[in-house]
Amino acid sequence: MWLQSGNPQSPMLIECIPNVSEGRRPEVVAAMADAIRRVPRTRLLDFSSDPSHNRSVFTVVGDAVSLEQAVLALFERAVADIDLRTHKGEHPRLGAVDVVPFVPIQGVTMAECVELAKKVGDAIAKRFAVPVYLYEEASTNPVRKNLEDIRRGEFEGLAAKMARADWTPDFGPSAPHPSAGASVVGARMPLIAYNINLATDRLDVAKKIAAAIRQSSGGFRFVKAAGFKLDDRGIVQVSMNLTNYEKTPIFRVFETVKREAARYGVSILESEIVGLIPSAALTSAAEFYLQLERFKPDQVLENKLRSAD
Amino acid sequence: MWLQSGNPQSPMLIECIPNVSEGRRPEVVAAMADAIRRVPRTRLLDFSSDPSHNRSVFTVVGDAVSLEQAVLALFERAVADIDLRTHKGEHPRLGAVDVVPFVPIQGVTMAECVELAKKVGDAIAKRFAVPVYLYEEASTNPVRKNLEDIRRGEFEGLAAKMARADWTPDFGPSAPHPSAGASVVGARMPLIAYNINLATDRLDVAKKIAAAIRQSSGGFRFVKAAGFKLDDRGIVQVSMNLTNYEKTPIFRVFETVKREAARYGVSILESEIVGLIPSAALTSAAEFYLQLERFKPDQVLENKLRSAD
């Protein structure tokens, strides 16, 4: 007999990873970080700057309301402090705040992150007169789904590009902001950077396996992959980005790489996650290999603790 | 270049699961739940009562200081409201608050949970004149490590048992509290209730596999296991308790059951987790099967979020 279950809904948790075109003036980056931190109910998990790219990446989590405020606070500083007309860096960029992806983490759907991207994009355009393109899951036009396609030509080619009918932005003016360019706002799944190291020094094997599993050459839809040599270790690596771990799960990629390697008489030495991975991506691997049935996320003790916050 | 890493230590998180000898008077159980809830920095995740056992189980998390207060608050109510002299129920019991295990979850060692068990045991004895036995990892005497050994004879046999020299309690008087008996306090790893269902109706196979893997007949140290028939499904089950998932991990148990079953020409149909499982137990299975190297718990996105709280 359960008298009380004490199991409310998980709180909404969205990750937002704004990329800003400033990586050389620490005081300017710190002011943007402070602007994010001052917004209640957001947490700035970390931020990093790359001087050669002249670019900084912020990782912030919160709910839909707090993240909208955080992004607008970041824009306010970035539009004031960054001038693309004098900005130089190795990384392609279109605007002062270049890209703003929203990523569903917990208690939120992709559809809600798409709605948030549209709401924030509209607010950016209205408040700062910066044109906004929606990308990835939030895209309204198939030719503007990929970030690379939207960014092609960069800030320097933006005015000419925007003059074309099919490059009317989703929000805001049909010409670049003079100093802040344009911004790309959208929603996507978390990326998993995943490498599998092979017990061989044969680069051709790594390259053949990469070609077998990546979407671009007929493999899994949500896999980008390339083969590399790790010279210092005398081995080769299949280096991957998994762009949707729900639809192309990590265990299926691992098992396919293992089978393809066996065809060349090669074993998997090890694999590695670079950076962060959502716990659900690891849990799904445990479910697969342990043949777990009827397993629910709230059986994970830590999920239960979180939902009771 | 990292300007700021934003990665403080995880907060201390201990789980405490007091078992109380009252499962028939909801208002008494509710008052005990309220007493726990009123303690700052504790969270009562849930509680359940079993009327035939006449027993209730509370699951509460917090830090060492808040859990000590919560356990004392629970004792205050239980000692006032429960009288073992008139208590009847199917489940063996020694005291009004029968058992109090502390379980390390995050940012805390087993040694710290043992210290907490001793501190709380001492406080219970001093404040309520209830004798306390330490058990499991907190045990000070090998014959008093297992809960079943301490509880044998139950409340009704307690006075005679305590008169023997080797049953002097760890804290408190050498005779039972008249109405509240004695309490067992200790520290242990989280239990995982894990079942593997076999694609056969041969009960002998399930029983042979259970015997092969459980400690009592020569198997893994931290496995208790038995074979059962699931009549409604026409299959058999190896039902297990994993008492230390770090030292006897779930994937090793699964693989051993799979190999033993194959020896009888039997396959694993599925497995299932009953109740809660710490995410580390699932992560370790993913690490094993994916051959993950250099993986750190703070690469799990949710762990990173938690540590930034």
Side-chain angles (χ1 to χ4, degrees), chain A residues 1 43 49 105 268 270-273 275-277 279 290-291 293-294 299 301-302 305-306 309, chain B residues 1 43 49 105 268 270-273 275-277 279 290-291 293-294 299 301-302 305-306 309:
Chain A
M1 181 181 73
R43 288 179 289 169
S49 298
I105 301 295
I268 289 182
E270 61 187 21
S271 78
E272 63 182 347
I273 307 286
L276 297 178
I277 181 167
S279 84
L290 299 175
Q291 298 177 228
E293 291 296 330
R294 296 174 291 280
Q299 290 184 257
L301 181 60
E302 286 84 349
L305 295 179
R306 237 185 343 265
D309 264 323
Chain B
M1 181 180 73
R43 286 179 290 168
S49 298
I105 301 295
I268 291 182
E270 60 187 21
S271 78
E272 62 183 348
I273 306 287
L276 297 179
I277 181 168
S279 82
L290 299 175
Q291 298 176 228
E293 292 296 329
R294 296 174 290 280
Q299 289 184 260
L301 181 61
E302 286 84 349
L305 295 179
R306 237 183 345 264
D309 262 324

Side-chain angles (χ1 to χ4, degrees), chain B residues 17 38 56 59 64 95 100 102 111 127 140 176 204 240-241 252:
Chain B
I17 312 104
R38 274 194 294 270
S56 296
T59 303
V100 182
F102 293 99
R127 190 174 312 177
T140 58
D204 65 309
M240 294 165 278
N241 272 326
R252 196 166 298 145

Side-chain angles (χ1 to χ4, degrees), chain A residues 175-229:
Chain A
H177 183 286
S179 58
S183 292
V184 186
V185 178
R188 60 164 174 80
M189 287 290 289
L191 277 183
I192 300 174
Y194 183 51
N195 298 328
I196 296 180
N197 295 337
L198 304 179
T200 183
D201 62 355
R202 291 164 57 193
L203 181 59
D204 65 308
V205 172
K207 285 182 177 295
K208 279 179 199 155
I209 294 173
I213 58 164
R214 71 184 166 224
Q215 184 199 23
S216 65
S217 48
F220 291 116
R221 173 152 175 202
F222 297 103
V223 174
K224 298 175 182 181
F228 293 106
K229 205 153 193 160

Side-chain angles (χ1 to χ4, degrees), chain B residues 176-220:
Chain B
H177 183 286
S179 58
S183 293
V184 186
V185 179
R188 61 164 173 81
M189 286 290 289
L191 277 182
I192 300 174
Y194 183 53
N195 298 328
I196 297 180
N197 295 338
L198 304 180
T200 182
D201 62 355
R202 292 164 57 192
L203 181 59
D204 65 309
V205 172
K207 285 183 178 293
K208 279 179 198 155
I209 294 174
I213 58 162
R214 70 184 168 226
Q215 184 197 23
S216 63
S217 48
F220 291 115

